Amino acid sequence: MNDERRTTNDQRPTTNDHRLLTVDHLTTVFDTASGPVPAVDDVSFEIHAGETLGLVGESGSGKSVTALSIMRLVQPPGRIAGGRILFKGQDLLTLNERRMREVRGAEISLIFQEPMTALNPVFTIGDQVAETLIVHGRASRREARAQAVDLLTAVRIPDASSRVRDYPHQLSGGLRQRVLIAMALACRPALVVADEPTTALDVTIQAQILELLRDLKQSFNLSLLLITHDLGVVAETADRVAVMYAGRIVESGPVRAIFRTPQHPYTRGLLASIPGGAPGQPLRAIEGSVPLLGNLPSGCAFTPRCPERFDRCPTAPPPDYAVGADQFAKCYLHDPVGADPRVPPSPGEFAPGYGEARRGAGREGGRPTR
């Protein structure tokens, strides 16, 4: 592991007693004939009690593998190759499988992104919600059935006492998603990992599900890891944001800071591609696509697509640079000459080539026209 990266990452505050989950230098690889391929590469972040962290990025960035790694559900040929996952101070990677099964569903739960494949088609939704309670010893079979109705009511499924006997194919996509949320909340976990919970839904239903998650977070006193490629979802829901690209978190910080002053070119590209700009103006797309994990470019993985790249970018993966209050970006544009990379740069103190790279990319006066 790169010593420079570990040093800079370790400078982040570590004295907050309210940390619920700490992912520390997590690396998850998939073994191939040509060697291990990192799908999650040296990822670190924290989730505090009662907080929502949005994990965003294009498809193939490693978001879902991060979620599966936290739950220890990565299947061969995938494996967690390094790092720590601290939940309530305990490293989940040190638990045996029996203890980990007690954590899954009861203390940390996962909302899958496709309810039709996540739900069992041969069991009623009531049985599937009740099963979570029974498996974790939270209720008898009769009590679990009654609690299943209460949970379906809590996630706003109409006529829950009748719907509890329905099978998944008898429900709409939005109702199936609500069933998954009810299953995730059954044992009142401290942390819910929501993996693209609105992807397969239309806009109206998406808004309803997001409102439901916000309300349930308050009423159930949850922390939430919200995984999505939709920055609009993050803006409405998250307290902090971590932007992921090619297996690495390239920028993180408070949601307001990320949206108002994005500091990584990839984050700026994502924000520029959101519909809703000036009338008549075309959407700005990020050129190219996410590289194959087995064939990443040298240095910063975003270099081939970055309009602000310069000579230093392909030399080595950049470390974290502090670019604001609790805001970090992995980008050499923020490396002041001869200064500690953890100190935020002052205007005009960027690395050599910064202004030239921007002007070469069609900028005016060395400043981005966002």
Side-chain angles (χ1 to χ4, degrees):
M1 185 177 297
N2 186 295
D3 290 335
E4 181 184 16
R5 283 187 287 167
R6 179 175 288 278
T7 301
T8 54
N9 279 337
D10 288 348
Q11 299 303 314
R12 299 188 180 191
T14 58
T15 58
N16 193 321
D17 293 332
H18 299 289
R19 288 176 294 169
L20 180 66
L21 178 76
T22 300
V23 175
D24 183 33
H25 300 288
L26 175 66
T27 298
T28 300
V29 302
F30 284 82
D31 293 315
T32 68
S34 57
V37 174
V40 176
D41 184 10
D42 195 28
V43 163
S44 298
F45 61 84
E46 297 174 351
I47 300 178
H48 298 177
E51 181 182 54
T52 298
L53 174 68
L55 185 61
V56 302
E58 295 170 276
S59 296
S61 294
K63 307 183 300 297
S64 293
V65 176
T66 300
L68 293 174
S69 298
I70 292 171
M71 302 294 291
R72 278 184 48 188
L73 290 174
V74 178
Q75 299 298 309
R79 59 184 172 87
I80 297 174
R84 299 186 301 164
I85 303 172
L86 302 177
F87 178 69
K88 296 181 178 179
Q90 184 174 37
D91 188 356
L92 298 181
L93 300 183
T94 65
L95 302 182
N96 59 36
E97 182 56 29
R98 180 177 180 180
R99 175 68 183 105
M100 193 63 207
R101 283 199 299 267
E102 296 173 355
V103 172
R104 294 190 201 107
E107 299 181 57
I108 306 176
S109 60
L110 177 62
I111 302 173
F112 292 95
Q113 61 178 288
E114 180 43 66
M116 198 58 190
T117 57
L119 293 171
N120 193 320
V122 301
F123 290 98
T124 66
I125 61 172
D127 287 340
Q128 294 184 63
V129 175
E131 181 185 22
T132 304
L133 294 163
I134 296 168
V135 166
H136 290 285
R138 301 298 178 93
S140 66
R141 188 169 296 277
R142 178 176 294 180
E143 292 169 341
R145 184 76 172 189
Q147 289 185 36
V149 175
D150 293 339
L151 285 162
L152 295 177
T153 301
V155 297
R156 303 172 191 169
I157 291 182
D159 194 17
S161 58
S162 298
R163 287 286 195 174
V164 73
R165 292 184 290 272
D166 286 352
Y167 291 87
H169 72 272
Q170 295 175 286
L171 304 180
S172 66
L175 291 181
R176 286 194 293 265
Q177 190 66 65
R178 291 169 191 265
V179 172
L180 286 186
I181 294 173
M183 293 171 64
L185 299 180
C187 294
R188 293 184 173 267
L191 174 65
V192 173
V193 180
D195 187 7
E196 302 273 11
T198 61
T199 295
L201 306 176
D202 62 50
V203 175
T204 303
I205 304 302
Q206 281 186 22
Q208 294 175 4
I209 295 297
L210 291 176
E211 180 183 5
L212 175 64
L213 286 174
R214 285 195 297 268
D215 292 346
L216 292 173
K217 177 191 167 188
Q218 297 298 324
S219 58
F220 282 76
N221 193 27
L222 300 172
S223 296
L224 184 65
L225 174 58
L226 180 63
I227 297 173
T228 181
H229 63 272
D230 189 336
L231 284 168
V233 169
V234 169
E236 294 180 24
T237 311
D239 301 303
R240 291 189 302 116
V241 185
V243 181
M244 201 164 187
Y245 184 80
R248 306 185 76 212
I249 291 178
V250 296
E251 185 169 2
S252 62
V255 64
R256 183 168 296 183
I258 294 293
F259 276 76
R260 288 185 174 180
T261 56
Q263 297 297 319
H264 194 282
Y266 179 59
T267 310
R268 290 198 285 267
L270 290 177
L271 290 170
S273 66
I274 297 176
Q281 292 295 319
L283 289 177
R284 293 170 54 191
I286 302 175
E287 294 183 1
S289 59
V290 178
L292 296 175
L293 294 176
N295 189 29
L296 291 177
S298 59
C300 174
F302 190 58
T303 298
R305 306 176 69 190
C306 182
E308 303 176 62
R309 60 186 178 269
F310 60 103
D311 292 346
R312 190 175 177 187
C313 297
T315 58
D320 275 322
Y321 296 100
V323 293
D326 197 30
Q327 185 176 359
F328 298 83
K330 287 183 172 70
C331 183
Y332 286 123
L333 296 176
H334 301 289
D335 184 5
V337 178
D340 190 303
R342 296 182 294 274
V343 179
S346 300
E349 292 183 351
F350 294 102
Y354 175 80
E356 289 80 355
R358 288 182 171 228
R359 284 192 291 272
R363 315 278 176 166
E364 295 181 359
R367 297 178 62 82
T369 54
R370 298 174 196 160

